[in-house]
Amino acid sequence: MALRVGCAAAPGRALENKTGAWRVFKPVFDPENCTKCGMCAMVCPEGCVRETEEGTFEPDLDYCKGCGICVEICPKKGIRMEKEEK
């Protein structure tokens, strides 16, 4: 598949490219407020939210683009967006 002008990678290839470097805000997950529902993992467009051994969830910040969808879907608001420090 040939890439169009302005494309850095083919669709669905985010896991092959570490896209988190240009993020402005990052999600911060609070395991104390996690209901373990997994909604954050289900809605993540990059598929970078993973379940921990404790059953809570956390993002892989190498691939997270900082869209904030996980924050919006969290029923207990156990996720917040924080300014990225570079």
Side-chain angles (χ1 to χ4, degrees):
M1 174 178 173
L3 296 179
R4 295 182 184 183
V5 174
C7 292
R13 301 288 196 190
L15 292 179
E16 293 176 9
N17 301 300
K18 292 187 177 184
T19 56
W22 52 267
R23 181 180 54 244
V24 177
F25 289 91
K26 68 179 179 180
V28 177
F29 285 56
D30 178 8
E32 299 284 323
N33 283 324
C34 184
T35 64
K36 302 178 182 180
C37 67
M39 291 298 295
C40 53
M42 284 188 265
V43 300
C44 178
E46 298 305 322
C48 63
V49 178
R50 303 276 186 247
E51 188 172 3
T52 66
E53 288 183 11
E54 295 80 27
T56 60
F57 292 82
E58 63 185 14
D60 183 338
L61 295 176
D62 284 338
Y63 302 101
C64 174
K65 293 180 179 176
C67 68
I69 294 173
C70 55
V71 175
E72 295 299 319
I73 199 72
C74 182
K76 287 207 52 180
K77 302 304 177 204
I79 309 168
R80 70 182 189 287
M81 295 302 282
E82 191 174 273
K83 181 97 168 143
E84 185 73 42
E85 297 294 327
K86 300 280 180 180

